[in-house]
Amino acid sequence: MNIEPNHLIEYLHSLANSTAKVSADSRQIQSGDIFFAYPVGHGNALRDGRQFIEAALESGAAAVVFDPLGCNAQYLDHPKCIAIENLAEKVGELSAQWYDHPSKQLKVIGVTGTNGKTSVTQWLAQALDGPNQRMAVLGTLGTGFPGSLVQTGYTTPDAPKLQTQFKELLNAGAKQVAMEVSSHALHQNRVAGTQLNCAVFTNLTQDHLDYHGSMTNYAQAKAKIFQLAGLEHAVINLDDAFGREIAMKLLAKGGIKVWAYTINQSALKGFEKFGDRLQRIYAKDSILNGAGYDSLFTYEGISSNTLHIPLLGEFNLSNALAVWTVLLTQGLTCGEASKRVSQLRPVLGRMELIQVGKQQKSEGLLVVVDYAHTPDALEKTLQAIAPIAQQRGGKIWCVFGCGGERDIGKRPQMGAVAQQYAHQIIITSDNPRSEEPQAIMEKIRSGISQNSNVQMIVDRSSAIMAAVRNAAPQDVVLVAGKGHETTQEINGKKFDFSDQEHIRLASGGIA
C-alpha cells in the first residue's frame, strides 16, 4: 500500500486506538500499535527492522510502515503494510507528528560531545528540577526524573522510542528535558522531529571510529545537532578546536544565539570581531581546593562570587561551566546559577570517590571510579588525580581495559596514556563481548614500554582486588572504563558486575 507521507499519520490514527504507540522494536508492539520497519546504520552496526515485520503483525500491530527499497515484495500488497521510501530519514518527524510534537511542548536541552554528556545532563537535571518545574533527563544512566531513573541500556533511543519517551515525560509533568545526543543518533537521524531549545557541545576526541570511519565523519555527525530546526541557543566549548570551528560557522551564519564557554580566557582571542553577537563565559582564578575547585565564573565581565565546585578534574570544572552557561540561557541570573552549580553532586561512575579504611579525607586508600574509556578521557582523569596523589604523598594505580568490538585503534593509545601518568598499571577486561579478552589486553600492552610496572589480570574482580589490597594507604587507585555500569558483557551474555561493589568487597578488612 502506498500513501503520501503528508497524510500518513492521519491515516494511521484512523486505524489505531487512542492509546496506541509507535515503535521500531517488534518486541514492544501491543495490539493496535504502529510498527516502523527500516534499515539503519552500516557495516557491522547495520540493523534492519524489516525482518521483524511478521513478528509485529503477529503481536497485533494495527499497521506496519516499512522502507520498500531492497525489501521482500510480499509486503507491498499487504493490507496492513505501508511503503515509505527512505523511512529512516523520515521516521523521527513521523513519530513526532504521531504524538503531536511533544518536544515543542517541552524545553529540550541536548548535549553532545565525546566526553561529558552524562555529567552535564545529570547536573542540569539536578540544577533545574523543582516541584513546580519538573526537569527530566534522558541518557546513559536512564530516563525519568532525578532520583527515579529507569535504566534503558542506551544513550539516545531510536526515533520512535525517543518521541514516545518525550510524550510520556510530558504526561508525567515534565516541563524541561536534558538529553544526551550521541553521534550515532545524529548520524542515524534519531533526533529528527525533535525541537531543541538549547544544544551543548562539550568536546571532540577519538572514539567510535569503528562506526564513523574517520574523525572527520565523527565531527560532522556531532555538528548536525546545530542544524536541528527551531534551535535557539548554542552552548559551545571554545577550549576544544572543533568547538571553535563550530562557533565560527554558527556566528557567520547567524540565527542562533551563540554562548561560548572556556576555562582559558586566551581561547576567546580571535572572536573579538563578533562583538555582542557572541556571549562570552569564562572561569578565572580557579584553584584546586580539596576535592573540588574554587573559581570565579564570569559572563561578559560580570563575575560571580567565588564559588566552590565540589567536583574533581579540570574537565569537570569545564563541564560545570557548561551547566552554568546553560542556566543563563534558561533565564537564571549569574548569582542564582552559581548557587545551583555549587550544590552539584558527583554523578554515579563519574569521578566517584570511594574511601577505603580510615574515613578522614587525608587518611586511608582513595579509590576513584570513572567511566573514562577513551584515550582523552583516561588522560584527563589521571591528570585530575595526579595533584591529589601528590598531596597525599602516594602513587597512582590504574586498573582498566577496553571494550571488545569497538574502536581497536584506541587500545595502544590508552596503554600509552596509562604509562605516562600512572605508577602501577593493571590491564584487565572491560566488556570483551565476543572478542578474546587476552587479545584485547595484549593490544593495550603494545602501547606500553617493557620496563613499566604492568600486570595483566583477565578477571576484572581479581584485578580490582589486586590493586586495592596492594596499594599503600596514601595511594590513589583509579578503576576506569565501566563507571556506572552494573553488568559485564562476555560472549553475548551480560553478567552482574559493579566496579563499586567489587571495590567494597576487596576493601573488606582494610583498616
Side-chain angles (χ1 to χ4, degrees):
M1 185 184 301
N2 287 291
I3 294 177
E4 286 295 318
N6 292 341
H7 303 295
L8 176 62
I9 296 303
E10 181 181 355
Y11 175 72
L12 292 176
H13 273 300
S14 72
L15 300 177
N17 57 53
S18 60
T19 59
K21 296 180 179 180
V22 293
S23 179
D25 186 342
S26 62
R27 297 167 297 181
Q28 302 298 316
I29 292 294
Q30 297 183 11
S31 181
D33 286 349
I34 306 300
F35 181 56
F36 285 113
Y38 52 93
V40 66
H42 55 243
N44 293 332
L46 178 65
R47 301 291 181 268
D48 194 339
R50 295 176 298 185
Q51 61 185 302
F52 303 109
I53 290 177
E54 283 297 333
L57 291 169
E58 290 174 4
S59 294
V64 171
V65 182
F66 73 102
D67 190 328
L69 298 178
C71 185
N72 192 324
Q74 73 180 89
Y75 298 115
L76 291 174
D77 296 321
H78 195 290
K80 285 191 174 184
C81 295
I82 303 160
I84 299 290
E85 292 188 3
N86 300 315
L87 181 57
E89 297 178 8
K90 301 169 183 174
V91 68
E93 178 60 33
L94 291 171
S95 298
Q97 288 179 33
W98 176 265
Y99 294 115
D100 194 24
H101 294 279
S103 66
K104 292 183 178 180
Q105 303 169 64
L106 295 160
K107 272 194 173 181
V108 181
I109 300 165
V111 182
T112 198
T114 307
N115 303 307
K117 295 187 296 296
T118 300
S119 293
V120 172
T121 53
Q122 292 290 323
W123 288 333
L124 283 170
Q126 287 182 23
L128 287 170
D129 186 43
N132 299 317
Q133 188 77 12
R134 297 308 314 269
M135 175 72 161
V137 65
L138 190 158
T140 306
L141 300 186
T143 297
F145 297 104
S148 58
L149 299 183
V150 177
Q151 291 192 359
T152 58
Y154 43 69
T155 299
T156 314
D158 61 55
K161 184 65 174 177
L162 176 61
Q163 298 303 322
T164 301
Q165 290 184 341
F166 282 148
K167 184 62 174 179
E168 291 172 344
L169 291 170
L170 183 64
N171 290 343
K175 302 296 184 184
Q176 293 178 284
V177 176
M179 67 174 293
E180 297 180 45
V181 184
S182 68
S183 58
H184 291 69
L186 288 161
H187 180 262
Q188 296 172 7
N189 297 300
R190 295 183 210 166
V191 289
T194 298
Q195 181 168 302
L196 296 184
N197 170 266
C198 177
V200 183
F201 173 80
T202 58
N203 50 60
L204 184 80
T205 62
Q206 182 175 335
D207 200 13
H208 303 305
L209 297 192
D210 54 313
Y211 179 85
H212 294 288
S214 69
M215 286 299 292
T216 298
N217 293 341
Y218 182 34
Q220 288 175 347
K222 289 290 187 189
K224 285 181 69 175
I225 195 171
F226 298 104
Q227 299 168 15
L228 294 175
L231 181 64
E232 296 181 32
H233 303 281
V235 173
I236 299 172
N237 180 11
L238 284 197
D239 295 319
D240 182 273
F242 189 59
R244 294 174 64 84
E245 183 179 326
I246 293 172
M248 286 285 188
K249 289 181 178 178
L250 290 177
L251 288 164
K253 183 179 179 182
I256 298 174
K257 192 168 185 177
V258 180
W259 304 69
Y261 69 94
T262 171
I263 59 173
N264 301 294
Q265 281 181 259
S266 60
L268 291 168
K269 291 180 180 178
F271 286 85
E272 297 87 352
K273 62 183 178 182
F274 295 107
D276 59 8
R277 291 168 55 200
L278 175 66
Q279 314 303 305
R280 298 165 177 81
I281 294 92
Y282 53 91
K284 65 179 183 179
D285 301 334
S286 302
I287 58 170
L288 183 65
N289 182 1
Y293 287 89
D294 291 333
S295 183
L296 286 173
F297 284 4
T298 303
Y299 170 45
E300 298 294 3
I302 302 172
S303 295
S304 65
N305 294 324
T306 298
L307 65 155
H308 181 70
I309 314 297
L311 308 164
L312 284 176
E314 195 173 74
F315 60 92
N316 270 334
L317 178 64
S318 178
N319 290 336
L321 186 59
V323 172
W324 193 78
T325 305
V326 173
L327 297 185
L328 299 185
T329 73
Q330 301 304 296
L332 275 68
T333 65
C334 292
E336 182 59 32
S338 296
K339 179 182 177 181
R340 298 193 189 192
V341 167
S342 66
Q343 296 171 348
L344 296 178
R345 302 178 301 279
V347 177
L348 178 68
R350 269 66 175 176
M351 293 301 287
E352 181 181 355
L353 305 183
I354 299 177
Q355 195 81 23
V356 174
K358 302 282 186 178
Q359 294 304 303
Q360 288 77 18
K361 291 288 184 183
S362 58
E363 298 183 50
L365 177 66
L366 191 64
V367 184
V368 178
V369 177
D370 194 80
Y371 191 51
H373 60 281
T374 67
D376 178 72
L378 186 63
E379 180 175 30
K380 285 183 167 61
T381 301
L382 287 166
Q383 287 175 336
I385 290 171
I388 299 169
Q390 188 173 12
Q391 286 178 0
R392 295 164 62 92
K395 296 180 178 180
I396 297 175
W397 291 66
C398 184
V399 181
F400 77 105
C402 287
E405 301 175 13
R406 299 295 186 268
D407 185 1
I408 63 173
K410 70 182 181 182
R411 295 172 185 176
Q413 295 179 28
M414 291 183 70
V417 167
Q419 178 183 12
Q420 183 176 355
Y421 295 99
H423 303 93
Q424 299 285 341
I425 301 169
I426 300 181
I427 302 172
T428 187
S429 296
D430 189 284
N431 291 310
R433 299 182 175 88
S434 66
E435 283 196 62
E436 176 58 45
Q438 191 68 38
I440 298 174
M441 293 164 59
E442 292 289 353
K443 198 71 176 178
I444 298 170
R445 183 68 175 82
S446 70
I448 304 174
S449 61
Q450 295 300 315
N451 60 353
S452 297
N453 295 319
V454 182
Q455 299 178 64
M456 296 177 64
I457 304 175
V458 173
D459 181 69
R460 192 173 179 91
S461 61
S462 298
I464 291 172
M465 175 78 76
V468 172
R469 289 295 176 90
N470 291 296
Q474 67 270 25
D475 291 347
V476 180
V477 174
L478 170 65
V479 181
K482 288 176 62 61
H484 63 281
E485 295 179 355
T486 56
T487 61
Q488 187 175 28
E489 187 174 346
I490 303 172
N491 289 327
K493 295 183 179 180
K494 290 187 177 181
F495 301 89
D496 289 343
F497 195 99
S498 160
D499 282 350
Q500 293 88 337
E501 183 62 29
H502 280 281
I503 290 165
R504 295 184 178 98
L505 288 171
S507 65
I510 296 179

